[in-house]
Amino acid sequence: MMTSSPALVVIPTYDERANVSTVLDRALALSVVARFDVPVHVLVVDDSSPDGTAEAVAAHPEFGRRVHLLVRAEKEGLGAAYRAGFAWALDRGYARVVQMDADLSHPPERIPALLGALDRHDLAVGSRYVAGGGVRNWPLRRRFLSWAGNLYVRLVLGLPVHDVTAGFKAFRAEALVELGAVDSQSDGYCFQIETTWQACRHGLSVTEVPITFVDRQHGHSKMSGSIVAEALVRVLGWRLSEARHVAVRPAAQPVT
């Protein structure tokens, strides 16, 4: 059973002033809205947003109590922001850590379901591609690109997870340590793949919890062609590295 110790939600931001107060309010309201008895704290990791995102976080009524802020000197990418947030969480002894976007594409109301799944699993993935999951307000082209990207990663890496590019996840703290999340190398879209891949390769228990992904209403997507290209290249590189490792592994000696 989950304990009543706080869980930390890590939210990276860059120019999310229009969304950040709403996502904070919805995450902090879970104890009332969802009758959720696990305290939720939020850490916003802001890359010195020029639109005043950090100032909006600091003005929140719960700032310094349940809302925390880590401001970094410059924009270094999604993966770097999550690594900083995970390190912050581990240093302060949080036993369960959630990662999610600030743009309200990930419904905060599904945080209890993700954390509940950690009673039996090391990693819970908020999945669009299992029964009960889905996407809303996406054009057909974006739906196809997401589906094709997931299929590519699953086939190349041989992963059993349906939504390997998902960015809405919950981890046990010891799982973050085991899979080496703080020492990962990827940024952007590929960071999401790397943590799930490493969890599977380390034999951690991974489950998928259905969510409905809703396209952002305010601001602009940070997705770019270079981010997608990084994912394609890195995934193939990981697979080739694994193949070489198997190829050079000494042959097993016969049992005598």
Side-chain angles (χ1 to χ4, degrees):
M1 290 291 293
M2 286 188 299
T3 67
S4 59
S5 60
L8 183 70
V9 180
V10 178
I11 304 177
T13 56
Y14 186 79
D15 282 355
E16 294 289 357
R17 185 183 182 94
N19 297 308
V20 71
S21 295
T22 301
V23 74
L24 289 174
D25 289 343
R26 285 172 61 180
L28 296 176
L30 290 174
S31 60
V32 176
V33 175
R35 298 179 181 179
F36 187 53
D37 61 359
V38 174
V40 171
H41 294 182
V42 181
L43 172 67
V44 176
V45 183
D46 186 67
D47 282 2
S48 295
S49 298
D51 73 342
T53 299
E55 289 80 357
V57 175
H60 193 278
E62 284 295 316
F63 182 71
R65 292 182 291 273
R66 297 173 62 198
V67 173
H68 308 281
L69 176 64
L70 177 61
V71 178
R72 304 194 308 146
E74 59 186 359
K75 188 178 180 183
E76 297 179 11
L78 184 70
Y82 272 129
R83 285 189 286 273
F86 292 160
W88 193 95
L90 294 172
D91 287 346
R92 288 157 180 78
Y94 285 94
R96 290 153 298 160
V97 181
V98 176
Q99 65 164 71
M100 66 182 295
D101 291 346
D103 61 7
L104 300 172
S105 58
H106 299 148
E109 292 74 21
R110 293 301 285 163
I111 291 173
L114 289 171
L115 290 173
L118 296 184
D119 282 349
R120 301 170 303 280
H121 302 279
D122 300 302
L123 166 60
V125 176
S127 180
R128 298 160 289 185
Y129 301 124
V130 293
V135 296
R136 187 181 302 160
N137 300 334
W138 267 14
L140 184 61
R141 177 177 178 273
R142 188 171 179 188
R143 288 174 184 263
F144 173 76
L145 288 175
S146 177
W147 173 84
N150 269 281
L151 180 62
Y152 169 80
V153 175
R154 291 181 66 199
L155 290 176
V156 171
L157 295 178
L159 297 179
V161 178
H162 294 85
D163 198 346
V164 291
T165 63
F168 193 15
K169 302 174 183 174
F171 302 85
R172 292 181 180 177
E174 55 267 30
L176 285 174
V177 174
E178 176 68 20
L179 65 86
V182 174
D183 300 316
S184 61
Q185 300 298 315
S186 304
D187 289 315
Y189 184 75
C190 204
F191 174 81
Q192 317 294 17
I193 302 169
E194 185 174 3
T195 53
T196 300
W197 168 61
Q198 289 290 357
C200 292
R201 290 300 188 261
H202 281 79
L204 300 180
S205 175
V206 180
T207 190
E208 297 187 75
V209 174
I211 68 159
T212 298
F213 184 102
V214 181
D215 201 12
R216 68 160 60 234
Q217 295 183 351
H218 303 288
H220 302 284
S221 173
K222 311 303 188 297
M223 184 64 67
S224 67
S226 62
I227 290 174
V228 174
E230 181 206 16
L232 295 175
V233 172
R234 278 191 179 270
V235 165
L236 186 58
W238 292 335
R239 185 67 191 96
L240 292 174
S241 177
E242 288 184 329
R244 285 195 299 269
H245 179 73
V246 171
V248 302
R249 185 179 300 164
Q253 296 299 312
V255 178
T256 59

